[in-house]
Amino acid sequence: MQIHVLASGSTGNAIFVDMDDTKILIDAGISARRIKQSLDAIGAKIEDIDGVLVTHEHRDHVNGLPTLLKKYRLPAYACPDTWQAMYCRAELPDDCCLSLADSLDIGKIKVEPFSISHDAADPVGFRLYAGGNKVSIATDLGFVTPTVKGALALSDVLVLESNHDIDMLKNGKYPWPLKKRIMSNRGHLANTDAGWTLARLARKAHTHVFLAHLSRENNRPELAETTVADILTNQGCKLGQDITLHLTYPEQISGLSRNTK
């Protein structure tokens, strides 16, 4: 099993997952050229992708879709309202734009989307199952609902938003309406929220967690890691044994290639 966060943040998002020889791309918010280069760097081929899953229509999650679908004719799945709200929908080949179901099989991966709270048309996270492993992705969410908590439970690998530090955001240069939007229930998850979510989550013996969608303006990778780690440690979690934390970056690949069973 391989999970590689090719890019994460407000400048673009893309995650590559390979489970049981089925290859899926979650979001395509960076250019198709950069996706190809990133996949080449980890020994994968863009032509071998079995499907693209789209979490929501914001540009930092779909900017690469037009070239990706037109050039490589990959099947892409999104909620109907997401397709309708997408700025580039008219540029996309109709036969590549497929509707998400409550559950679907792509190759050997079972995909189960779940609703999240974000200011988009119909945003979702994803649970991916194959070979006895579970990978869950939840970024761009204002708060963790019971539905989200249940969806993330007992994951082998989890990609979870840790967008901002509250104090940095409040004291930063963003205008107040934008700060209010980020801190709202339909905005983004703070470092402390990510930490408490993990601390209260039903977990397997060992979980790998990627802290994702870190703000360049209102966060620092080491601050996100320290904040989450402190909460987990204070709640009795043994880092490196119960949970291993991985950081993600806007222009750097973060990956895990191993059997996590």
Side-chain angles (χ1 to χ4, degrees):
M1 180 170 66
Q2 295 186 59
I3 296 90
H4 293 276
V5 181
L6 308 182
S8 182
S10 59
T11 57
N13 298 271
I15 302 169
F16 173 73
V17 176
D18 184 346
M19 301 173 74
D20 271 13
D21 294 323
T22 299
K23 299 166 178 61
I24 288 180
L25 186 70
I26 297 97
D27 288 332
I30 54 178
S31 69
R33 179 181 180 182
R34 187 174 158 199
I35 291 171
K36 183 180 186 305
Q37 290 173 339
S38 297
L39 292 176
D40 288 343
I42 61 173
K45 294 182 179 180
I46 196 169
E47 295 87 354
D48 292 338
I49 290 176
D50 296 292
V52 181
L53 302 175
V54 180
T55 59
H56 64 293
E57 75 275 7
H58 290 169
R59 287 175 181 257
D60 58 324
H61 293 259
V62 302
N63 265 339
L65 270 184
T67 301
L68 194 67
L69 300 194
K70 286 188 286 187
K71 184 173 183 178
Y72 299 101
R73 310 300 296 185
L74 302 176
Y77 301 83
C79 296
D81 288 347
T82 298
W83 285 126
Q84 187 173 355
M86 202 174 293
Y87 83 97
C88 58
R89 175 61 184 88
E91 305 174 42
L92 305 178
D94 289 340
D95 60 322
C96 292
C97 300
L98 308 174
S99 292
L100 269 176
D102 292 338
S103 177
L104 68 148
D105 294 326
I106 299 176
K108 296 181 181 178
I109 296 180
K110 178 173 287 294
V111 179
E112 293 182 353
F114 55 91
S115 294
I116 59 175
S117 178
H118 191 52
D119 55 354
D122 190 6
V124 297
F126 290 105
R127 290 168 291 193
L128 310 177
Y129 300 92
N133 290 309
K134 176 183 178 181
V135 175
S136 300
I137 292 123
T139 66
D140 296 71
L141 67 165
F143 77 112
V144 177
T145 64
T147 295
V148 171
K149 186 177 178 181
L152 302 183
L154 303 175
S155 297
D156 294 282
V157 181
L158 172 58
V159 182
L160 180 67
E161 180 169 55
S162 190
N163 177 258
H164 60 275
D165 174 78
I166 289 289
D167 290 334
M168 286 185 69
L169 177 61
K170 287 181 176 178
N171 298 319
K173 65 182 182 181
Y174 279 6
W176 172 245
L178 180 54
K179 293 180 181 180
K180 187 177 179 181
R181 176 239 169 192
I182 292 171
M183 291 187 291
S184 76
N185 284 348
R186 302 186 74 223
H188 292 277
L189 215 59
N191 295 336
T192 49
D193 296 326
W196 282 110
T197 296
L198 293 171
R200 294 164 175 164
L201 203 62
R203 300 189 305 268
K204 290 188 175 180
H206 187 194
T207 305
H208 289 270
V209 177
F210 288 85
L211 301 180
H213 215 295
L214 276 64
S215 169
R216 280 180 164 176
E217 187 67 34
N218 303 301
N219 210 353
R220 297 288 182 271
E222 63 276 8
L223 178 57
E225 184 176 37
T226 299
T227 301
V228 172
D230 285 349
I231 291 172
L232 290 173
T233 300
N234 289 336
Q235 294 300 306
C237 177
K238 296 179 181 179
L239 293 177
Q241 181 175 325
D242 299 326
I243 290 180
T244 298
L245 297 177
H246 306 263
L247 292 171
T248 64
Y249 305 89
E251 298 175 357
Q252 179 180 325
I253 302 170
S254 304
L256 175 69
S257 301
R258 58 177 296 180
N259 186 342
T260 58
K261 288 182 67 175

